[in-house]
């Protein structure tokens, strides 16, 4: 990730896809451990970006996905199954959004 000027970086904080959070902060925000974030990364639910130093960085969108997976795991769902469920939920939400968009164009 190339360094940014302070004003450019501040403007990106409203971007849901901007990798603004370190692993420690991200884990704290969703009430999980760094190991949980590594596990869902290994399960390919989310792929954090890496800083120039190689540290994982997470976006708000990724944290919402991770928080949903954590809810499922806390309810007894195995990590791999929770990741698959979250992926399917996300795909369904996107398909429904596209469907509505296409219906709007047809009207």
């Amino acid at each position: 990730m190339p360094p940014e000027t302070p004003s450019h970086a501040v403007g990106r904080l409203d971007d849901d896809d901007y990798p603004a959070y370190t692993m420690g902060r991200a884990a704290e925000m969703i009430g999980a451990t760094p190991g949980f974030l590594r596990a869902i990364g290994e399960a390919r639910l989310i792929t954090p970006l890496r800083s120039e130093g190689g540290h994982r960085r997470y976006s708000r969108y990724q944290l919402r996905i991770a928080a949903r997976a954590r809810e499922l795991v806390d309810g007894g769902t195995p990590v791999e199954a929770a990741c698959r469920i979250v992926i399917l939920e996300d795909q369904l939400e996107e398909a429904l959004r596209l469907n509505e968009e296409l219906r709007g164009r047809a009207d």
Side-chain angles (χ1 to χ4, degrees):
M1 208 177 346
E4 300 186 48
T5 61
S7 62
H8 185 254
V10 169
R12 301 279 319 257
L13 292 177
D14 289 335
D15 182 352
D16 257 5
D17 295 317
Y18 182 68
Y21 304 99
T22 63
M23 177 181 273
R25 180 68 179 127
E28 179 183 306
M29 289 172 71
I30 65 166
T33 64
F36 176 79
L37 290 175
R38 281 190 290 277
I40 64 174
E42 289 170 11
R44 298 180 188 214
L45 176 61
I46 58 175
T47 303
L49 275 96
R50 298 283 182 148
S51 68
E52 287 184 22
H55 300 283
R56 291 174 178 91
R57 306 285 294 190
Y58 297 87
S59 69
R60 288 193 317 229
Y61 172 75
Q62 289 173 323
L63 293 183
R64 282 195 302 275
I65 296 292
R68 175 65 181 130
R70 182 177 177 271
E71 288 174 6
L72 291 167
V73 169
D74 287 351
T77 306
V79 170
E80 295 80 15
C83 290
R84 186 66 183 141
I85 290 167
V86 172
I87 288 167
L88 290 170
E89 287 174 344
D90 197 47
Q91 289 173 343
L92 176 59
E93 184 179 316
E94 178 65 9
L96 292 171
R97 185 193 64 75
L98 288 172
N99 194 19
E100 280 299 311
E101 184 179 306
L102 291 172
R103 282 185 180 164
R105 289 182 190 168
D107 292 339

